[in-house]
Amino acid sequence: MDEIRPNSGAQAHGLVPLFPPGLQAIYGECRRLYPDQANPLQVTAIVKYWLGGPDPLDYISMYRNTGCAAQDVQEHWHYVSFGLSDLYGDNRVHEFTGTDGPSGFGFELTFRLKREAGETAPPTWPAELMQGLARYVFQSENTFCSGDHVSWHSPLDNSESRIQHMLLTEDPQMHPIQTPFGTVSFLQIVGVCAEELQASQQWNGQGILELMRGIKVAGGPWLITDMRRGETIFEIDPHLQQERVDQGIETEGSNLSGVSAKCVWDDLSRPPDDEEDSRSICIGSQPRRLSNKDTEQIRETLRKGLEFNSKAALPPISSQKQNHDRAQSRKDSLESESSAAIVPHELVRTRQLESVHLKFNQESGTLLPLCLRGRLLHGRHFTYKSINGDTAITFVSTGVEGAFATEEHPYAAHGPWLQILLTEEFVEQMLGDLHELGSRDESKLPKEYSWPEKKLKISILPDSVFDNPLQ
């Protein structure tokens, strides 16, 4: 349960030592922007997370921003979180690892909401939205970056709004800060429609954000969310889809290198009761676990895929951490919580498979054209990581180095990690066969696609198959 109150204003009475240094550093950046709002309204967790409460953010401050007439920026409410970074430095929430790296998760969230006429106080629902995102970060230990998207599938304010998903970008006014416990940047939440989310997946989040900056009603230069916006940027300007997004996909491809998904795969090369079968998962059975080295390679695969100009390559399997900018206790996007207690990597052999069956839910299936057109045709790779276990499916093109799938053996598995190498000719054939996957009508499920000459089968199944595997 949260409560709303003005902040204590202790700093105004010369009691700076009573303020935790990390908290004080963020307050300092807020005061730089809002020198006349020393005591903003604040949503605070009654029972702090480090005392067993459910809300990871200790505070969310809410400021009234007058906008900027010179940039045609309208008046709005500005929300700032406190708690994803290390506020205290005493290990009560975050492990203190020094001043050179990130403080806690290295960022705080912000949000800009259009102020409606006659509104005298900021709505508080954005605070719960920010708490929800913070819970995800704390529970998964996955961090956010500028350009990331969040599939929310519900109006952000629980209304009938079309704004049901989010993109993340750098806050246009708040600067990264150095605290006694490390660096903190400020990532702004931007509400978007389903069509804008889909375009960001197919192309890239930064590109869609730049288009939104050029349309005042869609956010304008400071990307202010208007929950009453009834049109997408493509309805406002129909030329954007073809002239910017489609052209961007064609020339640049997609920078989305992987997603968490509902997916499984079966090795059709072996009988179902073969005990040596190391396929990723069989409906109704206990999923096998990714080794920590496999997990590290998939994690690096996604990171490298997000680098626009990097050479398309799967890094060699290695047990060494590749990212030293983050505390060792933090897991990146695909690292498994249970990966430390698995069969040693050397005991898991890579197997070449003759025939495979891939199964996706509808949302994951609609991303297959993106995988093929936006990634593989540009010499890149794309990974589906199951949210229900340690299953992983990575599609690779012939230009990707370091893959254990080859043109001679295009299907290869390392424990529950399947790699599929697709030639450009086969990708083009699949795109023609999968063109209808853009439709999200679940009444038409299941959908079956088969390429007998390639010994590949893909099924698009209802969510219930994945949510209730024993049925």
Side-chain angles (χ1 to χ4, degrees):
M1 182 78 177
D2 294 331
E3 63 176 351
I4 306 172
R5 61 171 177 79
N7 74 30
S8 64
Q11 73 275 18
H13 296 86
L15 301 178
V16 173
L18 297 179
F19 266 66
L23 188 70
Q24 182 69 17
I26 300 173
Y27 273 144
E29 177 62 11
C30 292
R31 288 197 302 273
R32 181 185 67 80
L33 287 183
Y34 303 105
D36 58 340
Q37 298 182 57
N39 298 303
L41 283 177
Q42 204 172 60
V43 174
T44 178
I46 295 176
V47 180
K48 297 295 187 282
Y49 192 71
W50 37 274
L51 293 175
D55 298 322
L57 302 176
D58 282 7
Y59 313 99
I60 297 100
S61 288
M62 302 177 287
Y63 296 91
R64 184 168 177 170
N65 191 304
T66 57
C68 178
Q71 298 183 50
D72 199 22
V73 174
Q74 60 194 322
E75 189 171 355
H76 59 279
W77 304 110
H78 192 196
Y79 302 75
V80 182
S81 77
F82 296 78
L84 285 161
S85 63
D86 191 350
L87 305 180
Y88 305 99
D90 57 7
N91 296 318
R92 74 178 72 179
V93 179
H94 300 280
E95 180 182 355
F96 175 59
T97 57
T99 60
D100 295 335
S103 169
F105 288 105
F107 68 96
E108 294 290 351
L109 293 171
T110 73
F111 183 60
R112 295 174 185 267
L113 177 67
K114 178 184 176 182
R115 177 178 172 267
E116 300 295 342
E119 222 170 32
T120 58
T124 58
W125 63 261
E128 181 53 38
L129 180 73
M130 296 167 84
Q131 290 285 15
L133 291 176
R135 289 186 200 103
Y136 165 77
V137 173
F138 271 82
Q139 291 167 9
S140 68
E141 296 194 347
N142 298 336
T143 60
F144 291 129
C145 299
S146 180
D148 281 354
H149 70 269
V150 179
S151 302
W152 199 251
H153 299 289
S154 178
L156 304 188
D157 60 353
N158 295 316
S159 67
E160 300 298 320
S161 174
R162 292 184 69 179
I163 309 300
Q164 301 187 10
H165 306 280
M166 292 167 272
L167 297 178
L168 293 163
T169 188
E170 296 94 348
D171 188 287
Q173 287 187 294
M174 301 193 73
H175 303 155
I177 59 173
Q178 178 69 47
T179 80
F181 313 130
T183 57
V184 179
S185 60
F186 296 91
L187 285 180
Q188 180 176 317
I189 301 164
V190 181
V192 296
C193 303
E195 295 83 351
E196 294 155 354
L197 172 79
Q198 186 177 21
S200 72
Q201 293 172 328
Q202 294 173 342
W203 182 27
N204 64 74
Q206 297 288 12
I208 298 303
L209 289 165
E210 190 59 35
L211 296 182
M212 295 177 68
R213 288 188 181 97
I215 302 175
K216 181 178 179 179
V217 296
W222 293 4
L223 293 169
I224 298 164
T225 297
D226 179 2
M227 294 303 297
R228 296 187 179 184
R229 174 161 67 96
E231 293 181 300
T232 71
I233 58 174
F234 308 113
E235 292 166 340
I236 296 170
D237 185 350
H239 299 289
L240 290 180
Q241 179 69 50
Q242 183 174 3
E243 295 179 2
R244 298 294 299 277
V245 178
D246 291 347
Q247 184 177 353
I249 295 171
E250 185 70 25
T251 58
E252 304 167 16
S254 171
N255 75 337
L256 181 67
S257 61
V259 293
S260 295
K262 292 183 178 180
C263 62
V264 298
W265 63 268
D266 284 328
D267 175 10
L268 301 182
S269 311
R270 293 176 176 268
D273 57 353
D274 190 339
E275 293 183 358
E276 294 300 317
D277 183 5
S278 64
R279 60 188 175 177
S280 70
I281 182 173
C282 177
I283 295 292
S285 68
Q286 180 67 26
R288 297 187 179 232
R289 296 294 186 182
L290 282 174
S291 75
N292 53 351
K293 293 184 179 181
D294 282 339
T295 296
E296 181 69 21
Q297 184 177 0
I298 297 175
R299 180 174 60 81
E300 279 297 294
T301 294
L302 292 194
R303 182 182 300 119
K304 286 185 176 295
L306 291 172
E307 297 170 4
F308 286 103
N309 300 315
S310 65
K311 186 176 183 180
L314 287 168
I317 295 176
S318 170
S319 61
Q320 299 300 315
K321 288 288 185 182
Q322 301 294 320
N323 183 5
H324 300 289
D325 294 332
R326 181 174 304 174
Q328 292 296 309
S329 63
R330 301 300 184 203
K331 295 182 302 177
D332 282 338
S333 57
L334 290 182
E335 188 166 343
S336 167
E337 294 181 1
S338 57
S339 61
I342 323 181
V343 178
H345 175 271
E346 291 75 11
L347 301 182
V348 181
R349 60 192 176 93
T350 299
R351 295 195 305 109
Q352 283 77 43
L353 315 180
E354 292 189 11
S355 179
V356 294
H357 183 190
L358 312 181
K359 303 173 184 178
F360 301 95
N361 75 331
Q362 186 166 38
E363 183 175 6
S364 303
T366 58
L367 293 176
L368 282 170
L370 152 69
C371 162
L372 299 174
R373 179 179 293 107
R375 297 293 297 177
L376 269 65
L377 285 183
H378 291 266
R380 300 171 185 169
H381 46 77
F382 190 89
T383 295
Y384 288 93
K385 170 66 177 66
S386 173
I387 62 175
N388 294 330
D390 277 345
T391 301
I393 302 170
T394 296
F395 291 89
V396 299
S397 66
T398 53
V400 175
E401 299 178 359
F404 46 78
T406 65
E407 288 194 59
E408 183 179 2
H409 299 287
Y411 313 129
H414 197 90
W417 183 14
L418 174 69
Q419 283 188 11
I420 298 179
L421 186 145
L422 302 176
T423 64
E424 183 175 344
E425 180 182 6
F426 189 25
V427 168
E428 294 284 6
Q429 180 185 347
M430 291 179 67
L431 280 170
D433 296 335
L434 299 174
H435 69 278
E436 63 180 23
L437 281 182
S439 168
R440 292 178 177 264
D441 184 0
E442 282 216 39
S443 63
K444 296 181 180 179
L445 299 183
K447 295 179 180 178
E448 303 285 346
Y449 304 90
S450 181
W451 298 269
E453 73 283 1
K454 298 293 187 179
K455 298 183 179 180
L456 174 64
K457 181 179 179 181
I458 294 178
S459 296
I460 311 299
L461 305 171
D463 279 355
S464 57
V465 173
F466 302 89
D467 297 336
N468 303 290
L470 297 181
Q471 293 184 359

